[in-house]
Amino acid sequence: MKLTVLGGGGVRSPFLAKSIAYNAHRIGVTEVVFMDTDQHKLAIYGAIAQGVFQRIRGDIAFSLTSDARQALSGADYIITTLRIGGEEGRIHDERIALNHQVLGQETTGAGGFAMALRSIPAIVDYCRLIEQLSSPDAVLFNFTNPSGMVTEAIIKSGFTRRVYGICDAPSEFIRELAELLGCREAELSIDCFGLNHLSWFRNARVNGEPVTDRLLADPRLYRDTCMKYFSPELVTLSDNLMLNEYLYYYYYREQAIAAIVSAGETRGEQIAAINRQMLASLAQLDIPRQLEQAFSVYFSHYLTRENSYMQRESSQGKVKEREMLTLQQFIEQPDSGGYAGVAIDILEAVNSGQQKRVVVSMQNNDTLDFLHPEDVIEISCELSSAGIHPVKMRDIPDTQKNLIARVKEYERLAVAAILTGDRQKAIKALMVHPLVNSYSLAKTLVEEYLQAHRQYAEHWR
């Protein structure tokens, strides 16, 4: 079985490689290809990923390429983790929004629209190649952000293979809850519903016993998990549901904007500066021959990135800061799975019959009865040899239902606008988004984003 990663020259590639290496046997992987059109980054981050992978599974063929046709030819599993436009695109997205006192977070609201504007056409092109070149039973796992919108665009573009949107935010939160409860992750069951980066959690159970009230009463929930960004009062006002960390941008919008402005630097600008220093240092090394030293340089810069996560927006640090590791320590540290783990869980369960529960983005059908059947939602699913079945959610409170429906209307319009190059639909999309909520602002933002990213908008009218 051949597994291909599109975007294999990304900063997180060594983590992805480690996860695939430790779990390859579960889904019969015999060949792994990391593909990226940025040959410089592929030769650095991809080479570190290759070194990590081969230290763990030297018996599995692992290659790097910038040839998409070669990478996708005969592929059985494909993971997309692309950042079209790079850090420069992200900086434009954030700054254009902030210039109009609008939040420019890269997956949410105006910034998310601009990212989708670049991501969707590129992904649709790759999907055409997958249809032509990959295995007839190929499965596509999309991690390219904004993941829910990109997954919806893939389906609506006419792609005929199985596709799932994956995100590591829900699985990381569930892992934090299991640690807080002192149970194994497999013993904890919880219902997640909503949209990607706009979801809630309820009905937590350990071996069938309800534990939601216990969690909400535990002060550690607001200190040691991603719930640290929210107040207990907000949880009460949210019908005692736990919140996806990205809801911070909706419920603390003015604080997020003020914190970013006060910092004098957006998250994109911060990341770009860290990455420039990291690439410059790594470019001096012969990575295959100096792998330990290269990994040390890489990981020290990666820690600076990770441990400053949401610092600009919330004036708080990460829930748990990572510590420096050597290459050997990194390899020996238990694999946390991440988004590759979600993909492998799905494949293993469907292939082996083992029952699992995961959170994925997939078509709604009748799961959330207040949305369109073809909408893509983020939902808890039961996995087995019978396939993947979303957990039907009923009795969703009006507060959550209304926000989901409104943001889904934005996503629906934005996907249609980007697929067809329709400015009017794009303006309407941002006009209805709760983080923009203005025709005049929406019109200005669409025009400025299309101008800033004109090389990705040739089909727009």
Side-chain angles (χ1 to χ4, degrees):
M1 290 289 192
K2 179 179 178 180
L3 186 152
T4 294
V5 175
L6 300 178
V11 175
R12 294 177 72 179
S13 288
F15 287 85
L16 180 56
K18 174 185 171 182
S19 187
I20 295 170
Y22 273 117
N23 293 285
H25 65 282
R26 294 166 55 195
I27 54 171
V29 170
T30 55
E31 179 184 1
V32 176
V33 180
F34 274 33
M35 177 270 167
D36 205 297
T37 55
D38 189 324
Q39 295 183 10
H40 180 59
K41 289 182 178 177
L42 187 67
I44 292 177
Y45 300 130
I48 296 172
Q50 184 173 35
V52 168
F53 188 94
Q54 290 176 333
R55 290 282 180 100
I56 300 168
R57 290 301 303 267
D59 58 317
I60 294 178
F62 186 106
S63 61
L64 306 173
T65 183
S66 291
D67 185 337
R69 297 185 70 88
Q70 176 187 330
L72 292 171
S73 181
D76 299 285
Y77 314 126
I78 301 111
I79 295 175
T80 74
T81 174
L82 304 170
R83 179 174 288 280
I84 307 299
E87 287 98 6
E88 183 181 352
R90 179 178 184 174
I91 290 168
H92 282 308
D93 298 347
E94 293 169 338
R95 279 294 167 195
I96 286 171
L98 284 174
N99 287 344
H100 300 284
Q101 292 77 54
V102 173
L103 192 67
Q105 201 278 333
E106 66 169 341
T107 63
T108 303
F113 167 78
M115 191 178 203
L117 184 158
R118 300 189 303 276
S119 298
I120 287 173
I123 288 285
V124 169
D125 285 345
Y126 281 123
C127 284
R128 293 192 186 105
L129 285 179
I130 292 168
E131 296 272 25
Q132 294 171 23
L133 303 170
S134 298
S135 163
D137 298 320
V139 185
L140 175 62
F141 296 95
N142 174 62
F143 187 68
T144 297
N145 276 321
S147 178
M149 289 176 66
V150 173
T151 303
E152 184 158 321
I154 290 169
I155 295 169
K156 289 183 174 177
S157 72
F159 188 65
T160 61
R161 312 297 175 88
R162 284 177 292 168
V163 56
Y164 304 106
I166 51 179
C167 178
D168 48 3
S171 57
E172 283 186 6
F173 179 55
I174 292 168
R175 193 175 298 119
E176 290 170 352
L177 292 180
E179 190 173 327
L180 189 152
L181 290 163
C183 68
R184 291 186 299 109
E185 200 175 331
E187 296 173 318
L188 173 63
S189 173
I190 192 164
D191 295 341
C192 174
F193 68 89
L195 310 177
N196 181 237
H197 289 184
L198 189 99
S199 57
W200 289 262
F201 301 82
R202 68 180 185 183
N203 297 336
R205 301 170 297 283
V206 174
N207 295 322
E209 178 191 349
V211 293
T212 299
D213 291 345
R214 178 176 148 197
L215 281 169
L216 296 181
D218 192 330
R220 294 177 299 160
L221 179 71
Y222 304 95
R223 187 185 70 225
D224 299 339
T225 79
C226 291
M227 285 290 291
K228 73 177 289 185
Y229 303 115
F230 307 109
S231 73
E233 181 183 32
L234 174 60
V235 173
T236 301
L237 293 172
S238 300
D239 303 278
N240 289 328
L241 300 176
M242 289 173 280
L243 296 83
N244 183 307
E245 62 191 323
Y246 285 87
L247 283 164
Y248 176 83
Y249 299 110
Y250 290 84
Y251 293 127
Y252 296 83
R253 178 183 55 194
E254 77 290 348
Q255 292 184 25
I257 293 173
I260 296 165
V261 171
S262 175
E265 181 183 52
T266 68
R267 176 64 171 166
E269 289 163 347
Q270 180 189 36
I271 291 291
I274 295 168
N275 287 352
R276 278 195 300 271
Q277 295 170 1
M278 176 162 45
L279 284 169
S281 298
L282 289 170
Q284 307 302 312
L285 301 174
D286 181 338
I287 292 173
R289 292 170 181 255
Q290 298 174 282
L291 185 61
E292 281 82 3
Q293 186 179 347
F295 182 83
S296 179
V297 171
Y298 160 78
F299 203 75
S300 64
H301 285 87
Y302 182 82
L303 287 181
T304 304
R305 283 175 49 122
E306 283 297 292
N307 291 338
S308 58
Y309 174 72
M310 282 198 65
Q311 211 168 55
R312 288 285 181 275
E313 299 89 342
S314 70
S315 301
Q316 299 185 64
K318 195 171 172 67
V319 174
K320 288 185 179 178
E321 291 197 354
R322 292 177 181 264
E323 296 179 351
M324 187 64 191
L325 300 173
T326 65
L327 174 60
Q328 191 59 35
Q329 288 171 330
F330 173 74
I331 288 171
E332 291 174 355
Q333 189 178 66
D335 176 52
S336 63
Y339 55 91
V342 177
I344 290 167
D345 280 346
I346 292 172
L347 293 168
E348 181 186 43
V350 172
N351 292 338
S352 71
Q354 183 180 354
Q355 283 211 285
K356 285 182 179 289
R357 177 177 274 228
V358 296
V359 178
V360 300
S361 290
M362 62 186 299
Q363 272 196 307
N364 176 44
N365 296 317
D366 186 40
T367 308
L368 299 180
D369 58 4
F370 57 94
L371 297 180
H372 296 185
E374 67 275 13
D375 290 338
V376 165
I377 61 172
E378 184 168 88
I379 198 79
S380 292
C381 295
E382 298 288 357
L383 296 170
S384 69
S385 56
I388 180 166
H389 299 286
V391 178
K392 286 192 177 182
M393 304 285 178
R394 297 293 184 259
D395 303 319
I396 292 174
D398 286 344
T399 300
Q400 286 71 35
K401 191 184 294 185
N402 291 338
L403 184 55
I404 291 168
R406 193 169 173 195
V407 174
K408 189 70 243 181
E409 183 183 6
Y410 148 74
E411 291 189 351
R412 205 181 292 128
L413 287 164
V415 166
I418 294 165
L419 286 173
T420 60
D422 189 327
R423 289 172 188 256
Q424 292 301 109
K425 280 186 179 172
I427 292 168
K428 187 174 181 181
L430 284 181
M431 184 176 78
V432 303
H433 197 292
L435 296 181
V436 178
N437 198 35
S438 159
Y439 160 72
S440 55
L441 264 180
K443 184 176 176 65
T444 298
L445 288 166
V446 168
E447 293 303 326
E448 291 190 17
Y449 281 135
L450 288 175
Q451 177 60 27
H453 305 305
R454 53 191 175 276
Q455 68 268 44
Y456 305 101
E458 293 177 354
H459 68 296
W460 284 75
R461 60 185 189 276

